[in-house]
Amino acid sequence: MKIGVIGGGAAGFFAAIHSAENNPDAEVHIIEKTSKVLGKVKISGGGRCNVTNVIFQPVQLSKHYPRGEKFLKKAFGHFNSQDTVKWFEDRGVKIKAEEDGRMFPDTDDSQTIIDCLMNEVRRLGINLRYSTNVKSLTSLEDESIGLEIEDNQEVFQKVIVCTGGQPKIDGFNWLKSLGHKIENPVPSLFTFKINHKPLTSLMGLSVPNAKIRVIGEKKLQEEGPLLITHWGISGPVVLRTSAWGARILSDKNYQFSILVSWLNDYTEEELRQYVYEQKEVLKKKQIKNKNPFQLPQRLWDYCLQRIEVPETKLWLDLSKKELNKLINFLLSDQYDVVGQTKFKEEFVTCGGVSLTDIDVKTMESKKVKNLHFAGEIMDVDGITGGFNFQAAWTTGFIASK
Ligand SMILES: Cc1cc2nc3c(=O)[nH]c(=O)nc-3n(C[C@H](O)[C@H](O)[C@H](O)COP(=O)(O)OP(=O)(O)OC[C@H]3O[C@@H](n4cnc5c(N)ncnc54)[C@H](O)[C@@H]3O)c2cc1C
């Protein structure tokens, strides 16, 4: 039997390795169009590769996928994040967890993951073919699959497509022409561009627990660390908002308004009470010098500018209107987002081959026999935290069966 795995990324390697293990007599090929394999693994997690997450339980784990939750809940029953950790540790790669749940090789170097996968490919005698583009795919009469590879036709008994996310719908034409439904690809995991100099001049500043609400989209609100950048805002809370809102925000052409809560630990009621208490406690202190919210001083200075309170004013002298403005800044600071950017960040594609055309037990296409899918080519994507690689490992593992 000849098995063709198209694409030399995380999903392709995992699918090929398990295919070779499950079928020792098969000839397994990884066919990669560029001169490099595992390119995204290399740059992932800032060069450290966030391989998976400490959330092991399939139901909980699947909740981290804006697209594919139900599908993956079933898939994780076969191979979950705990299996990923075990798989790498069985091969000598120790995996450590960080406080926020992300898991990395304990070398903090993505090359460790690459070396492990490459060693397996060598050990199993998998045929790794670089700079080889698969142009099209045909289902043949005997249900084998013909691949147009560069200018030749080659026949495989089983094919697993692992070509990753594609930015444009044209990238899916070869699969669409075989009857697969394609969910329009749009970016996910992007950061927000905000043209407001006083804010962007605070670049590098972060707050540990912010909240973002997209105005007019009640359900679109996320919490977590926020980072101010030279183009706007970034950090886990922004990436999460972009992931859950990938389609909505694309439909808005990335022009929308948000409310930022800089202090997400308080309800409005609690904050109001606290602010009035502090007014009494701090009475004679100048507002600039006394920030009772543990906000970074630069953010506090910015706050006072934004609510137009003179720095030298005493807490005691703050009017009701000024206190309201302060509460409003802390909980509902409004900005216009004028675009999205993927600068140096993890990004993935929302959309791809529709899950309605894929059998979750085998990852086999419901349109073409012996054709399987794994990884980001499918309409599956997660928030940041190792969830995207986990989807690649899981679907690659199942497809290989
Ligand atoms: C900068 C960055 C950092 C990231 N960091 C993380 C992280 O730390 N943790 C995490 O979970 N996720 C991370 N992600 C997301 C993660 O990398 C992807 O979800 C994952 O790599 C998808 O794997 P894949 O195998 O499906 O696709 P890919 O990794 O995209 O691999 C697809 C491969 O197929 C090849 N190919 C495409 N078309 C053809 C063709 N016609 N013929 C032959 N070959 C073809 C491509 O060249 C490519 O090598 C990051 C993404 C980016 C961009």
Side-chain angles (χ1 to χ4, degrees):
M1 177 165 61
K2 203 167 157 189
I3 303 174
V5 175
I6 313 177
F13 266 66
F14 224 57
I17 289 167
H18 288 95
S19 294
E21 261 178 349
N22 295 336
N23 308 279
D25 298 330
E27 193 185 301
V28 181
H29 296 243
I30 297 177
I31 309 159
E32 166 56 46
K33 84 171 166 191
T34 69
S35 58
K36 262 196 333 210
V37 288
L38 299 168
K40 282 197 191 159
V41 173
K42 181 75 184 163
I43 57 170
S44 67
R48 297 198 297 145
C49 187
N50 177 195
V51 226
T52 187
N53 195 281
V54 290
I55 299 168
F56 290 165
Q57 217 275 330
V59 176
Q60 293 312 318
L61 183 57
S62 63
K63 289 199 163 65
H64 296 79
Y65 295 84
R67 269 68 50 186
E69 175 182 345
K70 262 194 182 153
F71 183 90
L72 288 172
K73 187 160 63 181
K74 292 185 193 143
F76 290 143
H78 299 278
F79 194 93
N80 65 14
S81 29
Q82 188 166 22
D83 298 315
T84 302
V85 173
K86 182 169 184 326
W87 192 86
F88 280 105
E89 296 208 327
D90 284 349
R91 284 155 187 81
V93 177
K94 234 180 137 9
I95 305 289
K96 62 166 181 183
E98 301 212 328
E99 240 175 53
D100 58 7
R102 294 180 301 159
M103 301 191 87
F104 296 86
D106 80 340
T107 54
D108 277 328
D109 185 354
S110 59
Q111 191 59 40
T112 310
I113 298 296
I114 295 176
D115 292 344
C116 172
L117 294 167
M118 287 299 276
N119 286 343
E120 286 298 285
V121 161
R122 276 186 222 109
R123 179 178 72 80
L124 293 159
I126 293 168
N127 212 317
L128 192 46
R129 296 161 64 175
Y130 294 90
S131 306
T132 311
N133 187 20
V134 175
K135 292 182 177 163
S136 71
L137 191 155
T138 337
S139 175
L140 304 174
E141 248 171 45
D142 63 352
E143 295 187 330
S144 59
I145 293 182
L147 295 186
E148 188 190 350
I149 300 179
E150 297 295 325
D151 291 323
N152 301 311
Q153 272 284 334
E154 244 179 83
V155 177
F156 293 82
Q157 279 64 54
K158 301 268 182 192
V159 165
I160 310 178
V161 181
C162 310
T163 45
Q166 308 290 321
K168 294 208 176 113
I169 194 132
D170 298 359
F172 295 93
N173 282 350
W174 59 305
L175 298 169
K176 198 174 172 189
S177 64
L178 295 167
H180 298 102
K181 185 176 172 215
I182 306 297
E183 302 297 345
N184 194 31
V186 297
S188 180
L189 299 182
F190 48 84
T191 63
F192 295 170
K193 205 166 165 221
I194 295 173
N195 288 340
H196 183 60
K197 205 82 215 245
L199 176 78
T200 52
S201 66
L202 300 177
M203 68 179 185
L205 190 150
S206 64
V207 291
N209 188 18
K211 182 175 184 170
I212 288 181
R213 284 171 286 163
V214 175
I215 294 178
E217 301 294 337
K218 264 204 169 132
K219 287 191 181 155
L220 206 44
Q221 42 179 294
E222 293 297 320
E223 302 173 353
L226 181 149
L227 172 72
I228 300 173
T229 62
H230 69 265
W231 66 86
I233 52 172
S234 174
V237 63
V238 176
L239 296 177
R240 256 175 234 154
T241 311
S242 78
W244 290 102
R247 284 224 178 274
I248 297 171
L249 302 181
S250 160
D251 290 346
K252 292 180 186 290
N253 202 19
Y254 307 107
Q255 314 279 322
F256 52 95
S257 300
I258 54 168
L259 295 174
V260 176
S261 168
W262 298 103
L263 270 188
N264 187 35
D265 312 300
Y266 294 87
T267 63
E268 187 177 339
E269 185 93 343
E270 287 164 353
L271 185 63
R272 188 169 297 280
Q273 196 182 339
Y274 183 65
V275 163
Y276 277 87
E277 276 167 22
Q278 289 306 304
K279 186 181 171 183
E280 288 308 308
V281 175
L282 301 172
K283 272 193 219 171
K284 299 246 165 85
K285 302 260 192 282
Q286 281 188 356
I287 185 155
K288 178 186 166 60
N289 298 333
K290 216 58 211 173
N291 145 27
F293 310 104
Q294 278 82 50
L295 289 178
Q297 185 60 38
R298 283 201 298 153
L299 184 60
W300 183 240
D301 294 343
Y302 168 69
C303 162
L304 300 185
Q305 273 172 36
R306 199 149 160 81
I307 65 174
E308 293 167 323
V309 169
E311 293 180 345
T312 50
K313 199 158 197 171
L314 304 181
W315 270 92
L316 179 73
D317 297 331
L318 287 176
S319 66
K320 189 170 172 204
K321 193 172 164 203
E322 285 168 333
L323 290 171
N324 280 341
K325 274 173 137 184
L326 172 62
I327 293 166
N328 201 49
F329 169 86
L330 294 170
L331 295 185
S332 304
D333 191 22
Q334 184 169 337
Y335 295 95
D336 292 332
V337 175
V338 295
Q340 53 102 352
T341 149
K342 297 184 279 260
F343 182 71
K344 275 196 182 170
E345 303 277 352
E346 169 179 352
F347 57 89
V348 290
T349 305
C350 151
V353 178
S354 170
L355 302 180
T356 54
D357 286 345
I358 302 172
D359 179 349
V360 67
K361 290 193 222 81
T362 56
M363 299 297 150
E364 188 174 21
S365 158
K366 292 182 185 168
K367 303 288 178 188
V368 179
K369 202 156 177 4
N370 293 321
L371 178 69
H372 299 248
F373 295 101
E376 218 183 293
I377 179 83
M378 305 193 297
D379 183 25
V380 156
D381 60 273
I383 59 172
T384 53
F387 300 106
N388 285 300
F389 278 138
Q390 186 53 50
W393 311 131
T394 296
T395 53
F397 175 84
I398 296 176
S400 72
K401 292 223 151 188

